């Protein structure tokens, strides 16, 4: 039988929750095979003594006892193999990885040469479990998973407890590898549940809690439940995570398991912090503060519980809890409170046994202590590392500490961790503008990441190298480094979207800036010369790739439908009057790239303006557009003139004024925008040139990223349209949603324009009703006149039906489950973006992509439903009766409102945006 042998031990550069310990300490009073009867009494006493020392945490004293027991046993007996396994496990507790590795291989050599019996298979399975733990602790999660899977096949069906422990460990390895759906399914299987979409209801959680409390001797379901709570947090299902962890906390408290209680409290704190980060993303500062306060309480409670423990895991739990508190206090700028934790943490760290976790806690402590001195939580952000307020003595102490832990990693033969630490030292020197020393460390970090095949580190150090070369004026070399970093980043795409923002891959901090800095360098003028065409093409491709990466990060999946397209050729063939416009928001300027109709030569314009000023204008205009009504304008017309019109003219000056003449000379009729994320909440139709709105001159459309747009030509002279609508508020939702009485008129107007329409109104507009209708006929248009919300948070993006909220995954299942042609047009006529969420339009793009439709027409804010009925009547009349393109039909409907004195405000007609194929 082949087993997993690994001589070189490597570590992953990230924390992993500890694997549940398994020790092969056999009770000799139970069912002893004949060979055990031959054991000398002294040997039995030695084995019992070793077990007692291990269980009391006296690992150093246990080692010579195990070694002495081995000398009293036959060299190739199963009992000898058992003691070698126990010795390996004890060395693991002390962080003595090479000794642990040697001992486990001694055990496996004996077991592989032994005769295959039931007893031999049982001991082999348990030994493989211990080897899997060693592999996982030393960063070899894939090998650990393979080893645990091999062990699982050896366990008999009757060994439920051992098999469940094995599966829990497998689930942890899956999490280490970013395989969260598979980990979730494994844990649900242990708990007697099955759900391919990784979902568990509150009722199921409550039932499991009662079952576990009713059988406290079976500890594995409780461990599986706690692990499931962590998985739910990582995949972003925070309500489920919190409910599960609260149940786990109750179980730990009832069964008097203080170490489990401390771990659960720590994880609950992490969940509260994740909720705070989500609230911050959508500008809900009050709620974010509440969540952070709860997180701090949980971390303190976890620490206090850990202090009361006498178990081996107590020390690391104390340090983790205090480190989390320290980082949170620094983020909240509570400098005095944070400073009180520095000395206790420094003392605790010196008493931790050598291990991978110890290395990372020391690194985390060093980073946080520097940021505390700098009085800036993001002092070591790769975007703008800043240690200007840190004294030279403190700086050199940090360098010395990091070099020391790098040597600890080297002793573990852990190239990956050493790469991580050396790269961090390089960043410290980057903050001091010591380019030569920073480059030296960065190059060393790159060498180790290459050797470890750690692409997730390689791309970061290539990016760092690019920044350093740029700072030294070595533009061509910097461009090469950035291009290499992006190539590695793209190869990581599948892994990056499998993990969430609490891991080291934070999209805003560690992914998006690589794209933007590369584009900024590509479009940097050299000696006032024009930007080369190849640079413009590369910049355009890079921004398009950023759009794709941002959507994948939002959806947490890889868009397998994405494929490179020759957009210039397609546009010239399908719509030779369309111009493509790429506005790019950079730190110190706005860059505009324009592709004119039937012209291969790209145009390029630059406006010098700071990013924060652009964002202020956009935020102000977004707020006023979505809040303004006709009544507001009549009461105070200055609001309209001063805020909306003024800012719309500023945006026009930035984005379109430089291209005015070129657009006119090329006889452009349609403007297709590939909008940077900062601009996506603004409808381009409201831009104003001082005399008229852009929509009065051009058709307007936007693409979520041209790789995601389906440009196939499809024209159905008699399209079937499915209309789902809510004019009434579903029962129990009155506090959340208002009725939409004019939706009835909207439906009637559509049916008069599209005779082959099917209607689902109010109680008939359910998830099941929608699914049944979609599967019954080949609809090419789906029109949903109902409340909906777009948010930068995937779980806050939904469409309301009579009985439920359709989330993105459900929408995908409904609209993509048909065997017919893809839906040509999806219309969402009463949706809105979350107010204050600067990236809320990501939700709209996410809906469009997950729905798989070629075109999507939606509203960015909730519009008066009476004007919506008129808009939709005009739109369908133009689209169906006049054989217009979708973009032209939208423009006709918008102009109908604009030219109506009652609806001339952009509030009524500006909200509508067309996404995807416009012709």
């Amino acid at each position: 039988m082949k087993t997993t042998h690994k001589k070189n031990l490597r570590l992953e550069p990230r924390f992993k929750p500890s694997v549940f310990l398994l020790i092969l300490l056999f009770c000799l009073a139970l069912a002893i095979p004949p060979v055990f009867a031959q054991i000398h009494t002294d040997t039995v006493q030695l084995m019992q003594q070793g077990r007692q020392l291990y269980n009391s945490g006296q690992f150093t004293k246990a080692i010579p006892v195990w070694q002495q027991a081995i000398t009293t046993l036959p060299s190739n007996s199963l009992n000898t193999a058992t003691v070698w396994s126990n010795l390996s496990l004890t060395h693991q507790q002390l962080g003595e990885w090479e000794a642990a590795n040697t001992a486990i291989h001694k055990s496996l050599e004996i077991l592989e040469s032994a005769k295959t019996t039931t007893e031999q298979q049982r001991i082999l399975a348990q030994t493989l479990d211990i080897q899997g733990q060693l592999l996982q602790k030393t960063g070899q999660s894939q090998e650990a998973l393979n080893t645990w899977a091999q062990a699982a096949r050896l366990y008999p069906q009757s060994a439920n407890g051992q098999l469940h422990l094995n599966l829990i460990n497998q689930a942890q390895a899956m999490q280490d590898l970013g395989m969260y759906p598979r980990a979730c399914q494994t844990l649900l299987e242990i708990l007697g549940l099955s759900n391919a979409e990784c979902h568990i209801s509150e009722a199921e959680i409550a039932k499991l809690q009662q079952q576990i409390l009713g059988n406290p001797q079976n500890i594995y379901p409780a461990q599986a439940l706690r692990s499931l709570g962590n998985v739910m947090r990582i995949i972003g299902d925070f309500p489920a995570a919190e409910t599960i962890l609260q149940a786990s906390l109750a179980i730990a408290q009832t069964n008097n398991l203080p170490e489990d209680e401390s771990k659960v409290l720590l994880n609950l704190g992490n969940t509260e912090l994740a909720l705070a980060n989500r609230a911050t993303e959508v500008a809900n500062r009050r709620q974010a503060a509440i969540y952070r306060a709860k997180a701090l309480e949980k971390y303190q409670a976890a620490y206090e519980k850990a202090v009361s423990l006498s178990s081996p895991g107590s020390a690391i739990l104390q340090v983790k809890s205090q480190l989390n508190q320290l980082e949170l206090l620094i983020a909240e700028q509570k400098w005095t409170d944070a400073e009180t934790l520095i000395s206790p943490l420094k003392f605790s760290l010196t008493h931790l046994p050598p291990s991978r976790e110890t290395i990372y806690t020391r690194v985390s402590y060093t980073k946080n202590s520097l940021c505390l001195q700098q009085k800036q939580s993001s002092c070591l952000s790769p975007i703008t590392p800043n240690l200007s307020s840190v004294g030279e003595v403190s700086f050199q102490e940090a360098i010395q500490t990091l070099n020391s832990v790098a040597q600890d990693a080297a002793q573990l033969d852990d190239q990956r961790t050493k790469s991580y630490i050396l790269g961090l030292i390089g960043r410290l020197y980057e903050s001091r503008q010591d380019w030569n020393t920073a480059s030296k460390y960065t190059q060393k970090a790159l060498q180790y990441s290459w050797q470890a095949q750690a692409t997730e580190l390689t791309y970061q150090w290539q990016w760092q190298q690019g920044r350093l070369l740029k700072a030294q004026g070595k533009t061509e070399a910097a461009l090469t480094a950035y291009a290499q970093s992006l190539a590695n980043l793209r190869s990581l795409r599948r892994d990056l979207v499998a993990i969430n923002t609490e891991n080291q891959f934070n999209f805003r901090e560690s992914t998006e800036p690589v794209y933007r800095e590369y584009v900024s360098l590509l479009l940097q003028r050299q000696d006032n010369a024009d930007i080369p065409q190849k640079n413009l093409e590369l910049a355009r491709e890079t921004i398009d790739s950023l759009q794709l990466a941002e959507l994948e990060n939002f959806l947490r999946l890889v868009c397998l439908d994405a494929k490179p397209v020759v957009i210039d050729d397609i546009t010239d063939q399908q719509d030779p009057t369309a111009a493509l416009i790429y506005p790019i928001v950079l730190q110190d300027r706005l860059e505009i790239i324009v592709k004119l109709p039937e012209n291969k030569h790209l145009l390029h314009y630059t406006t010098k303006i700071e990013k924060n000023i652009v964002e202020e204008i956009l935020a102000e205009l977004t707020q006023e557009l979505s809040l303004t009504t006709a009544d507001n304008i009549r009461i105070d017309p200055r609001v309209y003139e001063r805020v909306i019109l003024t800012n719309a003219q500023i945006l026009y000056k930035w984005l379109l004024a430089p291209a005015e003449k070129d657009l006119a000379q090329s006889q452009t009729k349609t403007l297709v925008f590939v909008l940077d994320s900062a601009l996506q909440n603004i409808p381009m139709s409201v831009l104003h040139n001082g005399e008229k709105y852009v929509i009065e001159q051009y058709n307007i459309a936007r693409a979520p990223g041209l790789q995601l747009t389906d440009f196939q030509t499809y024209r159905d002279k008699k399209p079937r349209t499915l209309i789902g609508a809510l004019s009434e508020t579903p029962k129990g939702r009155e506090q959340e949603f208002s009725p939409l009485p004019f939706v009835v008129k909207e439906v009637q107007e559509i049916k008069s324009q599209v005779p082959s329409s099917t209607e689902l109104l109010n109680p008939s507009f359910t998830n099941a009703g929608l699914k049944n209708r979609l599967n019954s006929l080949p609809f090419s248009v789906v029109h949903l006149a109902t409340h909906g919300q777009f948010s930068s948070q995937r779980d806050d993006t939904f469409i309301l039906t009579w009985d439920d909220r359709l989330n993105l995954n459900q929408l995908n299942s409904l609209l993509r489950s048909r065997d017919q042609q893809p839906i040509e047009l999806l219309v969402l006529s009463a949706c809105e973006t979350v107010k204050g969420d600067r990236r809320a339009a990501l939700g709209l793009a996410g809906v469009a992509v997950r729905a798989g439709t070629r075109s999507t027409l939606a509203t960015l804010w909730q519009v008066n439903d009476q004007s919506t009925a008129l808009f939709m009547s005009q739109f369908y009349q133009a689209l169906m009766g006049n054989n217009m393109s979708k973009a032209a039909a939208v423009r006709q409907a918008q102009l109908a409102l604009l030219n109506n004195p009652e609806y001339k405000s952009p509030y009524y007609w500006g909200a509508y945006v067309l996404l995807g194929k416009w012709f």
Side-chain angles (χ1 to χ4, degrees), residues 428-591:
L428 262 65
Y429 280 110
E430 181 187 6
S431 76
R432 282 287 206 257
Q433 298 185 12
D434 185 345
W435 312 127
N436 290 332
T437 309
S439 296
K440 182 182 73 173
Y441 275 100
T442 303
Q443 193 58 45
K444 285 182 179 179
L446 262 174
Q447 291 170 0
Y448 283 108
S449 70
W450 283 329
Q451 291 172 22
Q453 297 182 342
T455 311
E456 77 280 7
L457 291 176
T458 298
Y459 99 84
Q460 294 187 58
W461 308 145
Q462 287 168 331
W463 173 25
Q464 187 160 292
Q465 191 177 50
R467 296 197 303 271
L468 295 169
L469 289 166
K470 178 185 175 183
Q472 297 173 80
K474 300 175 181 178
T475 303
E476 289 304 316
L479 283 170
T480 300
Y482 272 105
Q484 291 170 341
S485 176
L486 278 174
N488 279 311
L489 189 52
R490 290 186 188 108
S491 74
L492 274 173
R493 198 168 73 196
R494 187 177 300 273
D495 295 327
L496 289 177
V497 299
I499 57 183
N500 83 326
T501 54
E502 75 178 22
N503 289 271
Q504 69 265 44
F505 291 107
N506 181 295
F507 187 84
R508 302 280 170 244
E509 294 237 342
S510 301
T511 303
E512 182 178 349
V514 189
Y515 289 88
R516 294 197 182 280
E517 289 173 18
Y518 181 49
V519 169
S520 180
L521 204 54
L522 283 168
L523 301 181
Q524 185 174 291
R525 294 183 185 275
Q526 304 294 325
D527 301 322
N528 292 320
D530 288 341
I531 303 296
Q533 282 291 301
K534 68 173 184 178
N535 283 28
L536 294 178
E537 290 168 2
L538 266 176
R540 186 171 66 151
E541 290 170 10
T542 303
I543 286 299
D544 200 45
S545 295
L546 174 58
Q547 303 282 343
L548 177 62
E550 189 170 33
L551 261 177
E552 289 174 339
N553 181 72
F554 168 73
L555 295 170
R556 290 199 289 273
L557 56 82
V558 175
C559 297
L560 298 176
D561 294 338
K563 55 191 71 173
V565 294
V566 186
I567 184 60
D568 296 357
D569 293 344
I570 290 174
T571 305
D572 290 343
Q573 292 167 14
Q574 301 290 345
D575 185 0
T577 65
L580 303 174
I581 301 175
Y582 298 77
I584 305 166
V585 181
L586 299 177
Q587 205 65 38
D588 60 346
R589 64 194 192 275
L590 262 174
E591 297 280 12

Side-chain angles (χ1 to χ4, degrees), residues 622-644 835 861-862 864 902 904-908:
T622 301
Q623 181 179 10
E624 292 301 327
L625 279 169
S626 59
L627 292 180
T628 299
T629 65
D631 288 339
N632 288 343
I633 292 169
R634 280 195 293 269
I635 293 169
D636 188 0
R638 291 171 298 176
V639 172
Y640 174 79
E641 295 293 338
R642 179 176 56 82
V643 179
I644 295 180
K835 290 178 175 61
W861 57 84
Q862 192 170 355
N864 171 282
E902 192 173 349
K904 70 176 184 178
S905 165
Y907 163 78
Y908 296 104

Side-chain angles (χ1 to χ4, degrees), residues 874-907:
Q874 295 290 324
F875 169 70
Y876 281 103
Q877 181 180 339
L879 185 67
M880 303 298 178
N882 300 333
N883 202 28
M884 286 185 174
S885 70
K886 299 185 189 77
V890 171
R891 176 171 177 256
Q892 284 296 106
Q894 288 180 300
L895 291 177
L897 293 181
L898 175 59
N899 294 326
N900 184 327
E902 192 173 349
Y903 301 127
K904 70 176 184 178
S905 165
Y907 163 78

Side-chain angles (χ1 to χ4, degrees), residues 109 381 466 507 532 658:
E109 286 170 6
S381 161
F507 187 84

Side-chain angles (χ1 to χ4, degrees), residues 126-409:
Q126 293 176 313
T127 300
L128 288 171
D129 272 339
I130 289 180
Q131 187 190 34
Q133 177 179 294
L134 174 61
L135 291 166
Q136 195 266 353
K137 279 186 172 181
T138 53
Q140 300 172 75
S141 296
Q142 185 60 61
E143 291 87 347
L145 180 58
N146 296 341
T147 301
W148 279 322
Q150 183 182 350
R153 292 192 290 270
L154 297 175
Y155 281 119
Q157 292 296 320
S158 58
N160 281 339
Q162 291 165 323
L163 187 56
H164 283 166
L165 177 57
N166 174 284
L167 290 172
I168 291 169
N169 288 337
Q170 285 193 52
Q172 181 57 57
M174 292 169 194
Q175 292 176 60
D176 298 339
L177 295 166
M179 301 157 60
Y180 296 109
R182 189 173 160 193
C184 182
Q185 290 163 17
T186 300
L187 293 167
L188 288 172
E189 179 186 338
I190 296 169
L191 296 168
L193 301 172
S194 178
N195 190 302
E197 294 185 357
C198 190
H199 176 75
I200 184 170
S201 67
E202 289 189 14
E204 288 171 327
I205 295 169
K207 183 178 179 181
L208 282 168
Q209 180 179 343
Q210 293 306 312
Q211 290 174 346
I212 293 168
L213 287 172
N215 186 13
Q217 289 76 27
N218 186 1
I219 62 171
Y220 303 120
Q223 294 169 344
L225 189 65
R226 187 174 75 233
S227 186
L228 181 64
N230 295 333
V231 171
M232 289 298 186
R233 182 187 75 247
I234 289 168
I235 65 175
D237 190 346
F238 300 138
E242 195 158 27
T243 304
I244 290 169
L245 289 171
Q246 288 291 353
S248 295
L249 182 63
I251 291 166
Q253 291 171 338
T254 303
N255 292 341
N256 192 26
L257 300 169
E259 185 169 341
D260 283 5
E261 188 177 344
S262 179
K263 290 177 181 177
V264 174
L265 286 166
L266 189 60
N267 292 325
L268 276 168
N270 292 338
T271 303
E272 298 291 354
L273 187 57
L275 286 164
N277 292 338
R278 171 179 283 187
T280 301
E281 187 77 11
V282 297
N284 191 341
R285 294 181 181 83
R286 180 177 174 277
Q287 191 60 53
I290 293 171
Y291 284 134
R292 283 195 293 269
K294 289 182 179 179
L296 205 57
E297 289 175 7
K298 296 294 190 299
Y299 290 145
Q300 180 61 27
Y303 170 75
E304 291 170 358
K305 186 58 63 175
V307 168
S308 69
L309 299 174
S310 58
S311 62
S314 169
I316 194 67
L317 278 173
Q318 290 178 49
V319 170
K320 282 184 177 180
S321 301
Q322 286 193 309
L323 272 174
N324 285 5
Q325 288 183 65
L326 176 63
E327 189 165 350
L328 184 51
L329 289 168
I330 291 172
E332 292 199 292
Q333 300 183 12
K334 295 181 178 178
W335 312 120
T336 304
D337 291 343
E339 283 167 359
T340 63
L341 290 173
I342 289 293
S343 294
L345 267 170
K346 190 173 185 178
F347 176 80
S348 299
L349 282 167
T350 60
H351 291 79
L352 287 179
S355 71
R356 178 178 149 275
E357 279 191 319
T358 299
I359 289 174
Y360 279 96
T361 52
R362 289 182 67 189
V363 171
S364 177
Y365 169 81
T366 302
K367 290 166 63 178
N368 279 299
S369 61
L370 287 170
C371 289
L372 178 57
Q373 291 177 65
Q374 180 64 32
K375 299 291 190 290
Q376 179 185 340
S377 61
S378 60
C379 75
L380 287 173
S381 161
I383 305 172
T384 52
N386 177 23
L387 296 176
S388 57
S389 299
V390 175
E392 188 61 24
V393 173
S394 297
F395 182 83
Q396 291 302 329
E397 283 180 359
I399 296 293
Q400 185 177 355
T401 298
L402 292 173
N403 274 312
S404 173
V405 291
Q407 288 304 310
D408 292 342

